[in-house]
Amino acid sequence: MVRRSRRQKLQKVTGLCGREEGLRVKRSCPSCGPEPGGEEKKGRGNPISLQLFPPELVEHIISFLPVRDVVALGQTCHYFHEVCDAEGVWRRICRRLSPRLREQGSGVRPWKRAAILNYTKGLYFQAFGGRRRCLSKSVAPLLAHGYRRFLPTKDHVFILDYVGTLFFLKNALVSSTLGQIQWKRACRYVVLCRGAKDFASDPRCDTVYRKYLYVLATREQPGVVGTTGSRACDCVEVYLQSSGQRVFKMTFHHSMSFKQIVLVGQETQRALLLLTEEGKIYSLVVNETQLDQPRSYTVQLALRKVSRCLPHLRVAGMASNQSSTLYITDQGGVYFEVHTPGVYRDLFGTLQAFDPLDQQMPLALSLPAKILFCALGYNHLGLVDEFGRLFMQGNNRYGQLGTGDRMDRGEPTQVHYLQRPIALWCGLNHSLVLSQGSDFSKELLGCGCGAGGRLPGWPKGSASFVKLHVKVPLCACSLCSTRECLYMLSSHDVEHHPTYRDLPASRVVGTPEPSLGAGASQDPGGAAQACEEYLNQIHSCPTLQDRMEKMKEIVGWMPLMAAQKDFFWEALDLLQRTAAGAGSGPPTPES
């Protein structure tokens, strides 16, 4: 009845306005000059420019539009671009999307960043089994300020937002619209804790082993006796993933500040690796089988060997599985710890440098450029460098490296047909890559074993990365796969700009680079230009010996396999020795 009365009043008002000579609002951009053909026509009122309205009124009206329409309106002209980009508009939109958000956050554009983070947040999943194999969306906590990280466990899913609130998304039995009781994933949520920095669980791909959740958080501790006030100290809290009950807590000195936590090792010798703000690695060992017992004991926090032996290194990030750890420095270097001989053989193809008595000795990987992020599986890994190139290494029994064959790789090998991935994930025997097309659409690629539906659309698996039959959200930014389900996290941070660089032409040979130019299809990646530059360098050498040396150097630049490089180098050495023995005098360029 209320809607009907409002509609009748609106019809009366519009009827009165229609009988009178109303004012027509000018819809073109005020800064673009008068509208063509805008002479006064008979029976119409005088046009009014939007610039005559108060800016606060225009911003207030635009703030009621959906976020997608606000962005589209801001692309129409210069005037609407300035209006739609104003912080006042995004402040109203943010308060409409998240009424309980009291602070706008940080960044250059705090309100716009907060509004888009809350508009694009979402957790999507697709079950591998069952009749319905479609993408579903989990419940969205109203208190969450965007989604930063997520981790599925045995029974539930945990999500960390941008203000440090950790949410506990539960699976539960719910009633459908038809009155049927059905099991639904991530349909209810509670706040597990606040002030969280990072969290981790058992690093194995099978979620059945993830019994406990380790949360790195900041807590206020009472001051020393005789002093007033409190101090903020970092601590690690351990929760049961099944119920969310806290069973253990360890607090560190207030002078130590950490930013990341990962786990490695078995349950009885679980090692917690903690990364400080200064880039140092500390570790401590706990016994998970005794965490649920009501007792207290002291654990020793020690500096990890990678920070003791290489004190000049500043670690920026870590990744781990049950028996190995990978460190990425701030300069893009990669260092490895492998703790079992079997995984070492799978990763490097040999046991020559493996020392069972010193398993924490870091091993440096030889890479051509700075590494930005990585993914670590059980016995294979993936690396993405600053130019957007993907390198894979390790066991390739099921084709999980995506190289097109099933040959193991003992060193990082580039996958040439994949460029500039958004996210990378390595599992037990398959790999997933989230990529973006030129039209900003996302697609999910996968390779390796396809058993159990883990590669939707490819039940027999694939030795190359193929497009999976999954509808990817527009703002998907990370992914994870378990035995039962595929998860994708959706979130867009306007402060996070693409960090990939353009590969120099001198280092591109046959490597396809995405390009929007007209000649991209004829010369993918600028391979012809690079070859022409190589020929010019060879032609500029004065002697035949110099040309041979330059050719050897160019072979080292080319993205070839190790066996191919060795072949070319041996052939060039053979030709060089033959030319040196056949010539009677000093060689000339004409020879």
Side-chain angles (χ1 to χ4, degrees), residues 155-367:
D155 303 314
H156 310 291
V157 181
F158 295 87
I159 293 182
L160 179 65
D161 70 353
Y162 280 84
V163 294
T165 305
L166 186 59
F167 293 91
F168 182 19
L169 274 62
K170 298 183 178 182
N171 303 336
L173 289 172
V174 297
S175 59
S176 63
T177 55
L178 301 178
Q180 300 177 351
I181 302 298
Q182 61 182 0
W183 181 258
K184 193 172 182 181
R185 295 178 182 271
C187 60
R188 297 175 182 174
Y189 74 92
V190 294
V191 176
L192 185 67
C193 66
R194 302 181 186 275
K197 292 183 175 181
D198 195 18
F199 62 101
S201 186
D202 191 292
R204 284 174 283 192
C205 300
D206 196 348
T207 57
V208 72
Y209 298 106
R210 298 175 183 175
K211 181 180 178 181
Y212 295 100
L213 188 75
Y214 294 76
V215 180
L216 176 64
T218 301
R219 297 286 181 262
E220 292 290 335
Q221 298 294 331
V224 186
V225 178
T227 61
T228 59
S230 59
R231 291 178 174 178
C233 299
D234 285 355
C235 64
V236 173
E237 299 175 341
V238 185
Y239 296 85
L240 280 172
Q241 68 86 28
S242 57
S243 61
Q245 178 186 0
R246 194 181 75 181
V247 296
F248 188 74
K249 179 181 179 180
M250 59 188 85
T251 305
F252 307 106
H253 193 264
H254 64 86
S255 62
M256 305 189 70
S257 178
F258 302 100
K259 64 178 182 180
Q260 186 184 2
I261 178 174
V262 297
L263 307 182
V264 65
Q266 301 285 344
E267 290 88 342
T268 56
Q269 290 289 324
R270 182 76 74 196
L272 280 66
L273 305 185
L274 299 165
L275 175 62
T276 66
E277 297 289 347
E278 294 78 20
K280 302 298 180 182
I281 306 293
Y282 287 85
S283 65
L284 57 92
V285 179
V286 297
N287 188 351
E288 276 192 0
T289 60
Q290 300 178 357
L291 288 179
D292 54 352
Q293 300 178 5
R295 58 187 295 265
S296 62
Y297 56 91
T298 304
V299 294
Q300 183 178 4
L301 186 66
L303 194 64
R304 198 72 172 178
K305 191 166 188 176
V306 64
S307 296
R308 285 190 283 111
C309 298
L310 305 171
H312 61 282
L313 290 182
R314 183 184 177 94
V315 179
M318 302 182 295
S320 70
N321 60 21
Q322 185 181 2
S323 56
S324 59
T325 310
L326 187 146
Y327 307 106
I328 299 180
T329 67
D330 58 346
Q331 300 298 323
V334 178
Y335 291 84
F336 232 118
E337 283 184 16
V338 184
H339 306 150
T340 58
V343 175
Y344 190 96
R345 185 187 297 109
D346 288 335
L347 288 173
F348 298 100
T350 180
L351 289 175
Q352 182 177 1
F354 179 74
D355 187 0
L357 302 178
D358 192 6
Q359 300 176 356
Q360 293 187 14
M361 176 58 69
L363 305 172
L365 291 184
S366 178
L367 295 160

Side-chain angles (χ1 to χ4, degrees), residues 20 50-51 69 74 158 256 270 294 299 357 475 499 530 560 567:
E20 297 178 1
L50 285 174
Q51 202 171 9
D69 295 340
F158 295 87
M256 305 189 70
R270 182 76 74 196
V299 294
L357 302 178
C475 297
T499 55
L560 303 174
F567 166 76

Side-chain angles (χ1 to χ4, degrees), residues 329-567:
T329 67
D330 58 346
Q331 300 298 323
V334 178
Y335 291 84
F336 232 118
E337 283 184 16
V338 184
H339 306 150
T340 58
V343 175
Y344 190 96
R345 185 187 297 109
D346 288 335
L347 288 173
F348 298 100
T350 180
L351 289 175
Q352 182 177 1
F354 179 74
D355 187 0
L357 302 178
D358 192 6
Q359 300 176 356
Q360 293 187 14
M361 176 58 69
L363 305 172
L365 291 184
S366 178
L367 295 160
K370 178 181 178 180
I371 297 299
L372 297 183
F373 61 93
C374 68
L376 185 59
Y378 172 68
N379 53 10
H380 75 288
L381 62 103
L383 304 166
V384 179
D385 69 357
E386 58 183 336
F387 302 111
R389 298 177 296 182
L390 175 62
F391 296 88
M392 304 293 290
Q393 178 180 346
N395 187 283
N396 198 23
R397 179 180 179 183
Y398 298 93
Q400 59 263 41
L401 300 185
T403 54
D405 53 34
R406 285 176 169 80
M407 296 174 55
D408 297 345
R409 300 295 196 276
E411 59 183 13
T413 303
Q414 184 180 356
V415 182
H416 294 285
Y417 56 90
L418 276 182
Q419 294 290 325
R420 300 175 181 261
I422 298 175
L424 174 65
W425 185 85
C426 294
L428 181 64
N429 48 29
H430 73 292
S431 305
L432 301 175
V433 168
L434 183 64
S435 65
Q436 178 175 285
S438 58
D439 57 347
F440 299 102
S441 62
K442 305 287 179 62
E443 61 182 13
L444 186 61
L445 308 176
C447 65
C449 179
R454 64 191 67 182
L455 296 181
W458 302 86
K460 296 183 179 180
S462 174
S464 302
F465 281 98
V466 292
K467 185 178 180 180
L468 305 183
H469 296 177
V470 177
K471 184 179 180 182
V472 182
L474 182 62
C475 297
C477 60
S478 63
L479 70 157
C480 176
S481 179
T482 64
R483 180 182 295 181
E484 303 87 8
C485 198
L486 170 68
Y487 296 90
M488 287 182 287
L489 187 72
S490 173
S491 181
H492 180 70
D493 190 356
V494 296
E495 300 292 338
H496 179 70
H497 300 287
T499 55
Y500 291 129
R501 297 170 50 197
D502 293 330
L503 191 65
S506 59
R507 302 174 64 178
V508 181
V509 175
T511 304
E513 285 283 322
S515 175
L516 301 179
S521 59
Q522 299 178 1
D523 183 20
Q529 181 181 358
C531 292
E532 184 178 358
E533 183 177 349
Y534 292 154
L535 289 175
N536 292 333
Q537 293 179 9
I538 295 174
H539 184 72
S540 62
C541 296
T543 63
L544 180 60
Q545 296 296 330
D546 293 338
R547 291 183 178 182
M548 287 290 187
E549 294 297 330
K550 176 58 68 174
M551 186 61 194
K552 291 180 183 179
E553 184 180 355
I554 292 174
V555 169
W557 294 342
M558 291 182 176
L560 303 174
M561 297 174 58
Q564 295 172 338
K565 290 183 178 181
D566 293 338
F567 166 76

